Amino acid sequence: MNGLLQDLRYAVRQLRKNSLLTAIAVTTLSLGIGATTVIFSVVNGVLLRPLRYRQPDKLYIVREIVLELSQTYPSFPANLASFRIWQRECHSFDDVAIVKPDNMTLTGYGDPEQVSGGRASANLFDVLGVRPTLGRAFLGQEDNPGKDHVVILSYPFWHERLHDDPTIVGRTITLDGIPFQVVGVLPAAFRCPRNFGPLAEFPERVDYFKPLGLDASQWSPFGDFDFAAIVRLKPGISAAQALAELNVVQANIAKSHNGGLTLRAQLIPLESQVIGSARLALLCLLAGVGAVLLIVCLNLANLLLVRVPVRLRECGIRTALGASRSRLVRQMLTESTLLAVLGGIIGVALAYYGVRVLVAVAPAGLPRIDEVQIDGRVMWFAVAVSMLTGMVFGVLPAWRLTQSDPQQALKAGATTTTESRSSRWLRTSLVGFEVGLGTLLLVVSGLLTLSMLRLLDVDKGFTTENVLAADITLPPALYTKKERKRAFWENVLLRVRSLPGVSSAAWISRLPLEGQEQVDNIVVPGRPMPEAQAPLANYRFVTPEYFQALNIPLIQGRLLEPADAQRHVAIVSSSVAEKVWPGQDPIGKQFRTGGDTQWPAAEVVGVVGDIRTVALDEAPLLMIYQPIGPGSPKWWGGRASLVVRSTLAPAALSTAVRDAIHGVDAGVPIVHLRPMTEIVSESVSVRRFELALASLFGIFALVLAALGIYGVVGYSVASRRHEMGIRIALGARASNLRSLILLQGMLPVVVGWAAGILAAIGAGFLIRSLLFGVSEHNPVTIGCVSLVVLATALLACYFPARRAAKVDPMVALRYE
Amino acid sequence: MIQLKNLERSYKTAAGQFFVLRRVNLEIREGEFITVMGPSGAGKSSLLNVLALLDDAWDGEYWFREQAVHKMKRKERADLAKKNIGMVFQSYHLLDDLTVRENIDLPLSYKDIPRKQRVGMVADTLDRFQIVAKKDLFPSQLSGGQQQLVGVARAVIHKPALLLADEPTGNLHSSQAKEIMELFRELNQQGTTIVQVTHSETNASFGSRTIQLRDGWVVNDTANPELQPYEAVKQ
């Protein structure tokens, strides 16, 4: 202990004596450790911390599989009727709950406002193991229709909208014009599970939960797969056992329905469902920032290795006085660890703010991002990383010093000794290693960049320039009749179309890239195919000019006309035409939606191009467009999006559009009003975020590697002035010296670059799933990165090489 | 105390083996004050480095208080040197970033001696060498003679059986050199065996025995008149 304190005291003295070196080291360490801590805090918050439910390892999501449809739809969310059967017959489940997204309009608190929530079975919070912080959870009977006018509020909603009202339990709030009694408030730490996939996707913020209020007996086990089912397994039951029992139950359901379909199920741990594809991206980011930290260590090791000749005398004396090798190593590592700890302290302080900035700018689509913070585990990680960093960059210089010959160092008159060949080789090897790591990081960020460009350049099937979009929800209490709703949509369209600069305007039930909705079968009358096996399509309800507003091309037939509102017609996407009527002319053909025989079959009047419905990197889905009006009674008409194409920029038009909407009814909330380009941009926000971080690491790594090269080559030139003087005296020209230094400086760079490219090619499969439209071995990316790395290194070598060529031989030869 | 039998030290060069010590046979008794002299390149410092156990790469036999050093492993030799040997250098070789007190304490810190005991030993040494007032100064704040005094204090703090001095007064002027040599005499009278390397006849006169080296050979030893002439041995 005393020896350690002694080493610490000496280390402090050394750092103070070499204040410039200390400042450089602590600065780069704090940036490296700070960045690593920030990324680890994200990994910790998203991947490592267990979900905030009771025994989260016992929670699973159930997804249903219809084998005959699994080519197009590998699995579905759960069905209400199936849920009730599972509750009765699956004995390996402690309990099972279901929940689906819900929206209602809140009134009575200022302007009407659409709020997002969940429609859940009464036992949801029991299954999750969450108790409301105020009031109670739902009672079983509140699941029944007519008994479900109760709500449990989220903490953020209660805090922000109701100002922490302690008397809220028992009072009512009005949602969709209906009074709902508040029975509970959830804890602040509660997060609604998300990422359940299409048809059951929750928004980032959930303000309330209400009971089901549905009669399951009215529902078929096939169809309406709209619910996320969460299961808690019984103690001692494994997922495999539960799944085996569940599949037996599913088979029985299919048999009793006698629809000729095969029903199975899938059990997915809730945690991995929530985290989804973010795991790989986050682990790649952690590896990337780890590589940057390693480059920081290599740079610092090089800095300390430069000082080895200066310290050799000291180590020789210590050895002569009885210091063992391990004692010398301990002393050197104490110095480097002290540097690293200082860097770590500042790094953690930087990380604290860095995490706040990161959480603020991170896309909402990143799961659990709101749970990211610097907690005890992150602090311990920072401590461990600091200590490890100190060891990593200190061990090489320490080892070099213990290899020294004390007799050489103790020769009379020796104050310093010059750098040995092996030491020079070690330092150039470190440079090569840095260049290799930097190249690898840059290739990865280059591939991600190209991926992003390809993604943004993908044929969406529609165009977004100068298109404004507005999402509207009609307050149900005020808009009870279809005619009133229709009048609203029509009047708004009339006003918007008359605005200066507007070339087309239309309504659609759900915009592209905002997910799936109204998924149902396309049933062709007269075809001998079970309804449940018929292709599934997304149905959208639109007004004329929709296709013009988004530039969706007409391929065959005609587009919608105003008169089509009274007819049972449809426009189909080209993939629907190919799938349902292969090799035939689809114009004039008829189909029904699902098993609905209540309404006449719709007639196909036109075929349009496919569009990206869910995401830019997902293939287009089967789309059917039907006119808003009496001809399409399946659309309930309470919510729609307005798309407006104009000659003006969307920002210039938004006020006029808002006024036009409120000019028809000021009480209608506009949920969103934004350019269509923003919707496209949001759909790739997670990728963009990952790309930004990867690019930052790549650039940082390149700068560090360039500094490392400059330092090594510069030091080499400075220590070889005498040699340069001799060469010049013997007839070498400036160009000869420049070439010599450049060649020697670039050799480890070329070796490191080649190794980095090979590593990038070899490990490319790891990031394949993060790429779009780009092979992990894309030659253009590898070529561009190689150019950047080699050019940067050449520049870093050039300045010292130029200095070498300017050596005055008379001065240099007197130098020694 | 020390016996060297046919001790040789050589380096491999492109031109073949280059010997710096050749068939050295030497016996050093407890309490002797030996001076090693010879021209530059005779092997004086090399002999001292071998005696100090700083150098491993020699051949022959080295007995230290009847322990066969030539059979010991590196760690055993290092332990033997730590316990029994102290060194004084021409260039003092004090650590510039340690105070006088810390420089003197340094060899003790490598011996795992409890801190309390070390503090006492350092205090005694500072007092003995009358440098208490300078204990918190750094080497750069001392004169050459004072630095060498600290060097000697550091070398003897752990009461070594053998003190080796390589040109201890080489960087001092005559009055300082005299002080150091008188100190050595005093230490020798108190029982410390001393081997010094010097060019100075004045310094040599402080010793009780002189050994002459030339081209790595022991050519003269005042304690061994039987020693064969240099030319005959070389043949």
Side-chain angles (χ1 to χ4, degrees):
Chain A
M1 188 61 174
N2 287 326
L4 203 56
L5 284 173
Q6 192 174 343
D7 290 346
L8 208 56
R9 266 201 307 274
Y10 188 74
V12 169
R13 234 175 263 175
Q14 281 294 308
L15 296 190
R16 286 172 68 178
K17 185 178 164 186
N18 300 289
S19 51
L20 181 60
L21 174 88
T22 304
I24 293 170
V26 169
T27 303
T28 46
L29 280 167
S30 61
L31 289 174
I33 295 174
T36 310
T37 305
V38 167
I39 299 299
F40 180 78
S41 67
V42 177
V43 169
N44 180 52
V46 176
L47 301 183
L48 299 180
R49 284 172 79 192
L51 297 177
R52 294 186 194 192
Y53 312 122
R54 178 172 53 86
Q55 290 184 298
D57 55 313
K58 286 294 191 189
L59 294 172
Y60 288 78
I61 297 294
V62 180
R63 288 186 68 83
E64 302 203 60
I65 299 172
V66 179
L67 278 182
E68 289 76 8
L69 300 177
S70 59
Q71 292 283 357
T72 319
Y73 288 93
S75 65
F76 292 97
N79 168 279
L80 178 61
S82 302
F83 154 68
R84 287 296 183 207
I85 297 169
W86 299 336
Q87 276 190 313
R88 283 197 311 270
E89 299 185 17
C90 287
H91 304 295
S92 18
F93 295 169
D94 192 42
D95 205 351
V96 52
I98 52 171
V99 62
K100 69 179 278 186
D102 192 53
N103 294 291
M104 289 199 274
T105 303
L106 172 72
T107 49
Y109 291 88
D111 289 337
E113 180 189 345
Q114 184 177 33
V115 289
S116 302
R119 190 168 195 158
S121 56
N123 61 347
L124 174 68
F125 300 108
D126 288 334
V127 168
L128 292 176
V130 173
R131 305 190 73 78
T133 201
L134 285 181
R136 60 168 176 82
F138 295 131
L139 303 172
Q141 62 262 31
E142 286 166 345
D143 265 343
N144 298 325
K147 304 256 195 244
D148 59 321
H149 290 168
V150 292
V151 281
I152 293 176
L153 302 177
S154 73
Y155 181 89
F157 181 85
W158 174 65
H159 176 67
E160 290 162 22
R161 294 299 260 117
L162 304 176
H163 309 294
D164 299 342
D165 182 358
T167 66
I168 191 62
V169 173
R171 298 209 345 238
T172 58
I173 61 172
T174 306
L175 296 166
D176 278 357
I178 301 167
F180 279 80
Q181 185 187 42
V182 177
V183 298
V185 175
L186 292 167
F190 174 78
R191 299 287 185 274
C192 177
R194 292 183 58 216
N195 214 15
F196 293 120
L199 305 176
E201 189 52 70
F202 277 83
E204 298 87 48
R205 178 169 160 143
V206 174
D207 290 326
Y208 67 89
F209 287 90
K210 69 172 287 298
L212 283 178
L214 299 167
D215 182 0
S217 64
Q218 304 300 312
W219 292 52
S220 160
F222 287 94
D224 297 312
F225 294 103
D226 294 332
F227 292 86
I230 304 172
V231 144
R232 178 176 288 282
L233 299 187
K234 276 188 176 150
I237 299 289
S238 69
Q241 288 171 307
L243 183 61
E245 182 190 40
L246 183 57
N247 277 330
V248 167
V249 170
Q250 292 288 81
N252 291 338
I253 293 172
K255 204 168 158 185
S256 63
H257 187 71
N258 206 20
L261 294 176
T262 316
L263 207 53
R264 291 281 183 272
Q266 198 183 15
L267 273 183
I268 304 166
L270 178 63
E271 189 181 73
S272 61
Q273 180 75 31
V274 165
I275 293 168
S277 61
R279 184 184 301 274
L280 175 64
L282 284 177
L283 292 177
C284 285
L285 278 176
L286 191 63
V289 81
V292 169
L293 188 61
L294 187 57
I295 294 176
V296 167
C297 290
L298 294 174
N299 257 357
L300 289 174
N302 249 329
L303 262 181
L304 294 185
L305 281 171
V306 164
R307 289 193 44 78
V308 160
V310 175
R311 305 287 302 266
L312 279 175
R313 173 179 163 269
E314 176 200 333
C315 287
I317 295 167
R318 287 182 184 269
T319 305
L321 294 175
S324 60
R325 264 194 197 163
S326 59
R327 188 66 200 273
L328 286 178
V329 167
R330 191 185 84 186
Q331 184 193 319
M332 297 302 149
L333 287 181
T334 303
E335 287 177 29
S336 60
T337 305
L338 180 61
L339 266 177
V341 166
L342 287 173
I345 290 169
I346 300 173
V348 167
L350 290 174
Y352 177 74
Y353 290 104
V355 164
R356 290 169 81 172
V357 168
L358 194 78
V359 169
V361 304
L366 202 59
R368 306 183 73 189
I369 190 67
D370 55 333
E371 296 183 53
V372 169
Q373 57 181 329
I374 300 212
D375 61 8
R377 182 188 281 147
V378 174
M379 289 299 294
W380 278 113
F381 173 83
V383 168
V385 160
S386 300
M387 303 292 286
L388 190 64
T389 305
M391 301 279 170
V392 166
F393 78 77
V395 72
L396 268 176
W399 173 77
R400 279 293 301 131
L401 280 168
T402 59
Q403 297 300 302
S404 63
D405 180 1
Q407 298 174 80
Q408 285 299 314
L410 292 173
K411 274 189 186 158
T415 51
T416 65
T417 59
T418 53
E419 193 178 33
S420 68
R421 190 175 292 181
S422 61
S423 185
R424 260 203 306 277
W425 180 88
L426 185 61
R427 294 180 62 233
T428 51
S429 303
L430 291 182
V431 164
F433 200 36
E434 279 183 60
V435 170
L437 271 178
T439 303
L440 178 62
L441 284 175
L442 282 171
V443 168
V444 168
S445 68
L447 289 172
L448 290 175
T449 303
L450 196 56
S451 252
M452 177 63 93
L453 291 174
R454 294 266 165 94
L455 193 62
L456 291 174
D457 206 36
V458 80
D459 183 9
K460 297 179 282 292
F462 55 92
T463 63
T464 55
E465 289 73 35
N466 288 1
V467 176
L468 186 65
D471 299 334
I472 306 286
T473 300
L474 296 178
L478 302 174
Y479 286 83
T480 52
K481 293 194 182 323
K482 282 189 181 172
E483 292 75 21
R484 181 134 194 241
K485 293 176 194 173
R486 211 169 292 135
F488 175 85
W489 304 128
E490 283 169 8
N491 288 334
V492 168
L493 264 186
L494 276 171
R495 284 181 180 238
V496 169
R497 279 185 187 140
S498 67
L499 291 173
V502 171
S503 53
S504 47
W507 290 104
I508 180 168
S509 51
R510 184 176 277 241
L511 287 167
L513 298 179
E514 289 202 336
Q516 299 193 50
E517 191 186 56
Q518 301 247 205
V519 179
D520 218 330
N521 302 99
I522 309 171
V523 178
V524 177
R527 278 205 191 160
M529 179 192 287
E531 170 215 319
Q533 289 186 30
L536 286 164
N538 268 252
Y539 284 76
R540 296 287 183 271
F541 299 91
V542 300
T543 57
E545 292 190 12
Y546 168 71
F547 303 99
Q548 293 93 316
L550 284 184
N551 266 350
I552 298 174
L554 174 68
I555 293 175
Q556 209 177 338
R558 65 169 178 84
L559 294 176
L560 292 177
E561 298 160 354
D564 288 330
Q566 310 297 326
R567 301 179 192 142
H568 298 291
V569 296
I571 302 234
V572 301
S573 63
S574 58
S575 51
V576 167
E578 274 170 43
K579 182 119 181 131
V580 180
W581 299 282
Q584 302 172 48
D585 182 358
I587 306 298
K589 296 285 193 294
Q590 294 190 333
F591 68 92
R592 290 187 193 279
T593 304
D596 190 355
T597 51
Q598 186 184 359
W599 308 102
E603 179 188 335
V604 177
V605 298
V607 179
V608 293
D610 287 325
I611 64 162
R612 306 266 168 174
T613 308
V614 176
L616 293 182
D617 57 356
E618 288 190 29
L621 299 176
L622 304 182
M623 297 296 295
I624 291 183
Y625 304 93
Q626 292 186 287
I628 288 175
S632 303
K634 283 189 87 86
W635 186 56
W636 62 283
R639 180 169 53 83
S641 297
L642 179 69
V643 283
V644 183
R645 178 175 287 278
S646 77
T647 53
L648 303 173
L653 197 61
S654 58
T655 306
V657 167
R658 186 185 297 276
D659 290 344
I661 294 168
H662 283 156
V664 174
D665 188 343
V668 168
I670 301 175
V671 179
H672 295 113
L673 180 63
R674 56 205 162 144
M676 198 63 200
T677 47
E678 199 175 295
I679 294 172
V680 172
S681 177
E682 265 174 34
S683 73
V684 295
S685 58
V686 175
R687 273 187 187 265
R688 189 186 307 113
F689 179 69
E690 290 161 4
L691 168 64
L693 287 178
S695 302
L696 196 64
F697 297 153
I699 293 168
F700 193 28
L702 182 67
V703 168
L704 282 174
L707 286 174
I709 296 166
Y710 178 80
V712 165
V713 176
Y715 181 77
S716 170
V717 163
S719 62
R720 292 164 71 187
R721 285 168 57 89
H722 186 62
E723 176 197 336
M724 298 299 147
I726 294 171
R727 286 179 183 268
I728 295 170
L730 292 176
R733 293 195 298 271
S735 57
N736 295 133
L737 294 181
R738 269 198 303 271
S739 304
L740 175 71
I741 298 301
L742 281 173
L743 203 67
Q744 290 176 348
M746 287 299 290
L747 184 59
V749 169
V750 168
V751 172
W753 158 79
I757 295 294
L758 285 174
I761 291 172
F765 70 95
L766 287 172
I767 62 162
R768 196 179 287 154
S769 61
L770 298 176
L771 303 178
F772 176 81
V774 169
S775 147
E776 65 269 24
H777 304 142
N778 179 262
V780 171
T781 306
I782 290 176
C784 289
V785 167
S786 301
L787 204 63
V788 166
V789 167
L790 294 173
T792 306
L794 202 61
L795 200 63
C797 291
Y798 174 73
F799 291 104
R802 212 172 61 159
R803 271 207 308 277
K806 289 184 178 173
V807 164
D808 181 341
M810 289 299 104
V811 173
L813 290 172
R814 271 202 310 269
Y815 181 75
E816 286 291 309
Chain B
M1 185 190 194
I2 291 174
Q3 276 184 312
L4 303 179
K5 294 181 181 172
N6 282 327
L7 192 121
E8 294 202 316
R9 176 60 163 110
S10 61
Y11 295 93
K12 211 171 188 174
T13 66
Q17 217 58 8
F18 173 70
F19 285 86
V20 293
L21 291 172
R22 307 205 69 157
R23 279 192 243 156
V24 172
N25 289 286
L26 203 57
E27 197 173 315
I28 298 172
R29 286 175 284 277
E30 299 262 8
E32 284 195 290
F33 189 157
I34 298 175
T35 303
V36 178
M37 301 183 80
S40 292
K44 307 185 294 297
S45 295
S46 302
L47 178 62
L48 219 62
N49 285 335
V50 169
L51 288 173
L53 299 175
L54 286 178
D55 188 353
D56 284 336
W58 41 267
D59 299 306
E61 293 180 16
Y62 178 164
W63 298 85
F64 188 97
R65 284 182 167 168
E66 286 160 32
Q67 295 176 77
V69 176
H70 48 279
K71 289 182 183 170
M72 289 181 184
K73 292 197 173 70
R74 177 178 278 192
K75 192 170 182 313
E76 290 169 316
R77 293 183 190 187
D79 286 342
L80 184 71
K82 222 193 289 194
K83 281 196 194 93
N84 297 286
I85 300 172
M87 274 201 85
V88 179
F89 306 95
Q90 179 178 357
S91 303
Y92 330 130
H93 286 319
L94 300 180
L95 292 185
D96 301 325
D97 299 318
L98 298 184
T99 60
V100 165
R101 181 175 51 80
E102 288 166 342
N103 267 288
I104 292 173
D105 177 58
L106 198 56
L108 299 182
S109 69
Y110 296 135
K111 289 177 177 46
D112 301 323
I113 296 173
R115 191 169 177 273
K116 230 177 173 176
Q117 193 180 339
R118 274 166 43 199
V119 167
M121 290 168 75
V122 168
D124 287 342
T125 304
L126 286 167
D127 191 38
R128 182 182 171 196
F129 285 79
Q130 294 171 9
I131 47 175
V132 177
K134 304 203 187 315
K135 67 177 170 46
D136 293 323
L137 297 181
F138 289 92
S140 56
Q141 296 171 298
L142 305 176
S143 68
Q146 289 167 336
Q147 288 187 57
Q148 192 58 294
L149 199 62
V150 173
V152 173
R154 182 182 66 183
V156 302
I157 186 167
H158 61 292
K159 296 183 175 43
L162 175 68
L163 181 65
L164 304 171
D166 193 351
E167 300 275 11
T169 62
N171 287 2
L172 304 176
H173 62 71
S174 52
S175 58
Q176 291 171 326
K178 187 163 179 277
E179 273 177 40
I180 296 297
M181 291 313 300
E182 279 171 0
L183 180 57
F184 279 170
R185 176 182 281 163
E186 194 185 317
L187 289 170
N188 180 242
Q189 283 167 357
Q190 287 165 5
T192 306
T193 307
I194 300 178
V195 177
Q196 67 164 341
V197 164
T198 187
H199 287 296
S200 162
E201 293 290 346
T202 311
N203 286 1
S205 67
F206 281 83
S208 55
R209 175 182 167 190
T210 302
I211 296 169
Q212 296 272 359
L213 291 182
R214 188 176 297 160
D215 294 334
W217 298 92
V218 176
V219 297
N220 196 8
D221 183 354
T222 53
N224 184 9
E226 307 283 307
L227 192 64
Q228 290 193 0
Y230 163 66
E231 288 77 13
V233 170
K234 204 170 170 193
Q235 278 161 21

